[in-house]
Each structure stands twice: as structure tokens, then as C-alpha cells.
Amino acid sequence: MFAIERFVGIGCYVVALLCCCHFVKKTPSLKKVKKILNIYLLILIIMAYFYVPYTTMDLYRIQIEVKRWVSSYSLTDIFGQCLRSSTPGWLIYGYFLGLTRLEGLLPACTALIVYHNIFSVIISTAEYENTYGSKLSDLLFYIMSIGEIYILAIGNIRTAIGLSIVAVCFVNETYHKSNFFKDIPLYLIAASFHQAALIMCAARILIVLVDPIIENGKIPVWNLIALTVILAFFAAKPQVILRFLNSATGKAINYLSKNYYDYFWERLIGVLNIIVVLVAMLQIRKLKSKRKLKETFWFCALIVLLIVLFGNEFAIFRRLSVLLSIIAIPIIGSLLVEDDLCVLKFGGRCFSFQKILNFNSWIVLLLECVRGDLCGYKFFQL
């Protein structure tokens, strides 16, 4: 069904990806790489704007829902809904974009936010590791070969925005030593889009507050203040917290108890990417910068644990595997610069992590194009 439309759509995605990777590989200047990524981002946004979702896609239902909001609710009504909703950020985002009457703006703006965040993570990693040329190109190819992320961004909207914000905040805090407390507004915005992002924000807060206590055996002043504020908020506004928790746990129970859809090929793609991340995590001890990656390692380990515990539900598996692939970018970028690091020996030959990553990325891209979520992408319909 829609063979020609899908062939053209997938072809445009793959050609744009390969061209961008080629130019990044040939560009020794990180400043020029940023310009190339900006052009690539613009192409992704345009493709998202003209995306034509199938009737079973989330975006199709979301666009109908947003139209209903615009036709039925005033601005005052929407703010009233926000006070009663566990995802107020999504309500405001969807409503204001819906006011334009341009359906393509919703996936286009989401592609802008999500891939701006992902490219920020890549650039941060490249700057810290002094990565450029073929290694930076391979890092870009790794994340963009996962076409599921693109379809999640332009088709699912809420999850992609929330998780990408969590990822970019995390990398800024671990690589650029950005103050976690300054990023709290961004974490709140992420949590206001989807319960999955809310859970990841809570996990991140837990790591930040507990890690210094475990490492140094004492509670830093800022952590003590943060804990006090959180406990005070619990005491003052217990109904707000309970509403969020009830909504999140209720949906989680529904996911785990009901027979929701599953898709073998996307599970296979997710498993392949998880294996690559696990291989990368096991190699951290061989790196000189392993202390810098400690927080990244434990955050990835937490996500893997959640996948093991709740990954039987496809929707949870899908979201967590996507987040893991993004969060692991700094680890993968660090390993790419280690030319003499032998990861696998087979038949008397030594295979570097770069070769393993490239092989996996090509397999993932091929699967995405023929059987994965990406194979459903089209931007016109005959």
C-alpha cells in the first residue's frame, strides 16, 4: 500500500542522511559542521511539515484532537484544562499550534525541538572529545539510522519532546557542568508533556540527589535545600502530586494489563541498538575519561533495568530504547576516538568499536527502510 509514496519518502530521508554524513566527514571544522547540521535540520523540518500520516498513526488522531480543542475551547478553557491535566505543557503546545490551522506545523515544530536537542547532544560530545571527520560522521549516522526516532518525533509528538529535553539537560549537566537546579524549569516542561518524561525526570532528580551522598558520605548544601523544597511541596500540595502519580501509574497499569500492539521488527531494531549501547558501556573502564562518563553510565544502566522490568509492553520498550540511544551518545562518542581499542576478536582479526557501530547502523537503517517505522513515511498521496 502506498508503495510509490513510501519509496520516495524513504529515499528522501536516506539521501538527506547520507549527504549530511558525507559533508560532515569531509569537514574538519566543528563550526562548519554546525552549519551543515542546521541545513540538515531544516530538511527534516520540511519533511515533517509535509508528512502524511496513515489513519492508524498517532499523529492522525492527535490532529483530530487538536482541531476539536480549537473549535470547542477558548484560551480560558484550555488554561482551566491545564490545571486539571497531568500534561499541561502538551495542551498549551497543541492548542497554540492548532490556532494556526496549519496541520503540518505540529510535526514540523516537534522535529525542530527534538532534533535541535539531539544535534546539541552530538555537538557537545564532539566538542568535549575533539571528534570530527569520519568519527563524527559515524556518530551522526548511528543516531539518524534509527528512523524510529524521526517517526516518534513527527508522529507521537509528546513523548519525543519530553524525552529529548531530558536528554539534552542531562548532557549539558555532565559535559558542560551546567547547574542541575538551573535546568529544573526545563525538566518541568519535559514532565508536562508525557508521563514517560515525568518518570525520567524523577529518575534524574534521584541520581543527582543521591550520587554525592553515596560517593562522599555526606549531603551537599544544595541537595539538602532541594530535598527540603520537595518535601515542603509534598506537604503543601499533596493533591497535585497525587494527581500526577495516579495518572502515571494508572496509564502504566493499563499498558501492562491490556493487550496493546506489538511489532517484531521494531523490537529487533531496539534490541540491536541496546546491544551496541551495552557493548559501549562495558568498554568504559578502558577509557581515560571514564570518570567523566560515570553519571552517563548509571543513567543508561537505570534505563536498561527499566527495559528489562517493563519492556514486555512494546510502547514502554520503544520509548525507553529510544531514550537509551540518545543518552548513550556521549559514551559512543568517547569510544569512537579510541582507534587502538579492540572490542571484538574474531578469526584472528581485531574489530574496533567504530567498525561494530557502523555495521550495526547499516543493518538498523536497512531494517528501518524495509520493515521498521520509517518505511511508513510519505509526504504525498497519489
Side-chain angles (χ1 to χ4, degrees):
M1 189 179 291
F2 308 114
I4 296 175
E5 297 96 319
R6 291 160 68 179
F7 180 79
V8 173
I10 297 167
C12 289
Y13 181 90
V14 173
V15 169
L17 169 58
L18 295 179
C19 287
C20 182
C21 288
H22 172 76
F23 289 123
V24 168
K25 184 177 181 178
K26 299 296 182 181
T27 305
S29 168
L30 206 54
K31 188 175 182 180
K32 291 182 180 178
V33 167
K34 291 179 183 179
K35 293 180 180 178
I36 293 171
L37 290 180
N38 286 335
I39 295 171
Y40 184 39
L41 178 60
L42 180 60
I43 293 171
L44 293 174
I45 292 169
I46 293 171
M47 290 176 62
Y49 183 86
F50 291 104
Y51 174 48
V52 180
Y54 191 58
T55 53
T56 57
M57 292 294 294
D58 286 340
L59 179 60
Y60 186 83
R61 295 190 292 270
I62 287 171
Q63 287 174 335
I64 294 174
E65 185 179 22
V66 169
K67 286 179 182 177
R68 182 177 60 82
W69 292 349
V70 173
S71 61
S72 304
Y73 299 131
S74 65
L75 187 58
T76 304
D77 294 330
I78 284 294
F79 283 124
Q81 291 285 337
C82 288
L83 295 176
R84 297 186 292 272
S85 173
S86 60
T87 54
W90 158 239
L91 285 173
I92 295 172
Y93 180 77
Y95 182 77
F96 277 101
L97 287 179
L99 289 174
T100 65
R101 310 286 178 177
L102 298 172
E103 290 186 349
L105 273 186
L106 194 58
C109 289
T110 306
L112 170 63
I113 295 169
V114 171
Y115 279 95
H116 174 270
N117 288 339
I118 290 175
F119 291 164
S120 294
V121 173
I122 291 174
I123 291 299
S124 295
T125 303
E127 288 176 339
Y128 180 79
E129 299 293 344
N130 194 26
T131 306
Y132 57 88
S134 63
K135 293 178 173 56
L136 181 54
S137 174
D138 291 340
L139 184 61
L140 176 65
F141 186 63
Y142 150 74
I143 200 66
M144 295 307 300
S145 68
I146 311 172
E148 178 186 12
I149 299 177
Y150 187 63
I151 299 302
L152 189 70
I154 67 177
N156 192 267
I157 310 291
R158 302 186 303 151
T159 308
I161 290 178
L163 295 183
S164 71
I165 292 174
V166 172
V168 77
C169 287
F170 175 78
V171 172
N172 283 339
E173 290 153 18
T174 53
Y175 266 77
H176 297 301
K177 291 301 179 181
S178 173
N179 192 315
F180 165 77
F181 298 100
K182 290 182 180 178
D183 286 338
I184 286 179
L186 290 175
Y187 282 112
L188 292 176
I189 291 172
S192 72
F193 271 84
H194 198 277
Q195 279 78 12
L198 172 64
I199 293 170
M200 287 299 101
C201 289
R204 176 63 185 140
I205 291 171
L206 183 65
I207 290 173
V208 168
L209 296 179
V210 172
D211 183 66
I213 300 173
I214 295 174
E215 188 170 345
N216 303 319
K218 57 183 180 181
I219 304 178
V221 175
W222 281 110
N223 292 40
L224 184 62
I225 293 172
L227 285 170
T228 304
V229 170
I230 291 170
L231 291 174
F233 186 73
F234 262 107
K237 296 286 184 179
Q239 69 280 8
V240 176
I241 305 298
L242 289 174
R243 188 165 67 241
F244 271 97
L245 291 176
N246 286 335
S247 176
T249 54
K251 291 185 178 181
I253 291 171
N254 284 336
Y255 271 135
L256 295 171
S257 62
K258 293 185 179 180
N259 187 24
Y260 283 91
Y261 74 99
D262 206 332
Y263 192 40
F264 168 77
W265 293 104
E266 279 300 335
R267 272 199 184 271
L268 177 60
I269 290 169
V271 168
L272 290 174
N273 287 317
I274 290 169
I275 290 173
V276 164
V277 172
L278 288 174
V279 169
M281 290 170 66
L282 292 174
Q283 302 301 316
I284 285 182
R285 58 188 175 82
K286 300 178 183 178
L287 299 177
K288 297 176 182 177
S289 58
K290 59 183 178 181
R291 186 172 179 81
K292 183 78 174 181
L293 296 168
K294 184 189 67 171
E295 281 190 73
T296 308
F297 175 89
W298 287 115
F299 201 21
C300 287
L302 176 62
I303 297 171
V304 171
L305 177 62
L306 292 174
I307 291 173
V308 172
L309 294 176
F310 306 109
N312 61 306
E313 165 48 45
F314 177 67
I316 295 175
F317 173 85
R318 184 188 189 204
R319 289 162 181 154
L320 289 177
S321 62
V322 163
L323 178 62
L324 179 66
S325 299
I326 300 172
I327 292 291
I329 288 175
I331 296 177
I332 291 171
S334 299
L335 285 170
L336 284 174
V337 300
E338 300 291 335
D339 296 315
D340 57 344
L341 185 62
C342 182
V343 176
L344 177 66
K345 289 183 178 180
F346 183 76
R349 295 182 62 188
C350 188
F351 293 91
S352 67
F353 181 76
Q354 186 173 11
K355 290 180 180 178
I356 294 173
L357 182 69
N358 281 338
F359 179 76
N360 182 78
S361 297
W362 278 108
I363 295 296
V364 166
L365 182 61
L366 178 63
L367 289 174
E368 286 283 9
C369 290
V370 297
R371 298 299 296 174
D373 281 351
L374 185 63
C375 76
Y377 173 79
K378 61 184 187 296
F379 56 80
F380 68 95
Q381 191 167 317
L382 295 175

